Amino acid sequence: MKQTYFNAIALADKPFISWISVGSFTPEEFAASEYADDPLIIPEDEVPFPYNVFGVCPKKIVSGVLEDRSPAEMAVFEAEWIIEDSLKLERRKKQGIDDNKFSYDGQYFPMDEVSRLFYLAIEKNRCNTKIKTMSNTLYSLLDADIDDFLAAYYSRLLTISQHTI
C-alpha cells in the first residue's frame, strides 16, 4: 500500500517546520528511492497532527534529525500563544464596538469609529448639535444634555470593551 512521504523543512520563524510532500511510495519503493536515507523525510502517519500546536510544530530539527519538543518547550510556546491570542481577541473587539449602539432618551446611537470621534469632539466643544441616530434620523442634542448623553455612551463603551483575561 502506498503512503505519502513528507520532507520537514526548517523555517526561521514559527511554526519552525513546514511539511512538503515528496511523493507516494510503497515501503519497497521508498527504500529504493533517493529519499530513503534522509531522516527529515517521514511517512504521513508520522507527521505530527495537528501540525501546529500553540503556533509551532511539536517537532524540531536538531543536527539534521527530527525530535519531539520537550514539555517545557511546549509550555513556553503555550504561554506565548495565550498572550498572543488574548491580544488578538482584544483587537477584534473594535469591530464589535463599531457595530454596537447605545441608548439615550429613547433613541439608539451608533458607536462606530467616526461617531466615537464625534462624541469626543462634542465633549470638548460643547454646543447644541445634531447627532445621527441608528434609524438615520437627526437628534437635537442640547448643550445642557451633553453630560447625560456622554454618560450613556461611556457606560455602554465600558461594558462592551472590558478586557478579557
Side-chain angles (χ1 to χ4, degrees):
M1 182 167 125
K2 287 194 175 198
Q3 195 175 114
T4 303
Y5 285 76
F6 289 86
N7 188 8
I9 307 295
L11 302 174
D13 297 314
K14 291 179 183 177
F16 301 122
I17 293 180
S18 176
W19 299 94
I20 298 177
S21 172
V22 295
S24 293
F25 305 92
T26 64
E28 297 78 24
E29 290 171 334
F30 183 76
S33 76
E34 63 186 289
Y35 305 116
D37 294 326
D38 190 334
L40 297 180
I41 297 179
I42 60 175
E44 183 173 12
D45 61 358
E46 292 179 27
V47 174
F49 186 80
Y51 308 108
N52 182 327
V53 178
F54 306 124
V56 299
C57 181
K59 291 198 176 281
K60 62 183 177 180
I61 300 172
V62 178
S63 301
V65 178
L66 282 169
E67 292 182 1
D68 290 332
R69 292 189 183 277
S70 70
E73 283 179 285
M74 292 307 292
V76 169
F77 289 123
E78 180 181 14
E80 289 174 358
W81 176 267
I82 289 169
I83 291 168
E84 290 171 12
D85 195 48
S86 175
L87 293 174
K88 288 176 188 172
L89 178 64
E90 294 304 318
R91 284 191 289 271
R92 287 191 299 265
K93 280 186 181 181
K94 184 179 172 301
Q95 185 62 49
I97 293 169
D98 284 344
D99 295 340
N100 226 296
K101 62 186 181 274
F102 70 99
S103 66
Y104 172 76
D105 193 27
Q107 300 285 325
Y108 286 100
F109 296 89
M111 295 186 68
D112 59 87
E113 189 170 4
V114 171
S115 295
R116 293 192 310 268
L117 291 170
F118 183 73
Y119 303 152
L120 286 173
I122 64 172
E123 183 173 26
K124 300 295 181 190
N125 299 301
R126 294 170 173 268
C127 62
N128 295 343
T129 190
K130 303 276 187 195
I131 298 178
K132 182 176 163 179
T133 67
M134 289 297 292
S135 60
N136 204 29
T137 60
L138 287 178
Y139 176 86
S140 294
L141 181 63
L142 302 176
D143 179 38
D145 298 328
I146 289 176
D147 287 335
D148 292 338
F149 176 85
L150 291 173
Y153 160 67
Y154 283 123
S155 175
R156 182 69 179 144
L157 184 60
L158 280 172
T159 298
I160 59 178
S161 65
Q162 287 292 316
H163 289 162
T164 305
I165 296 179

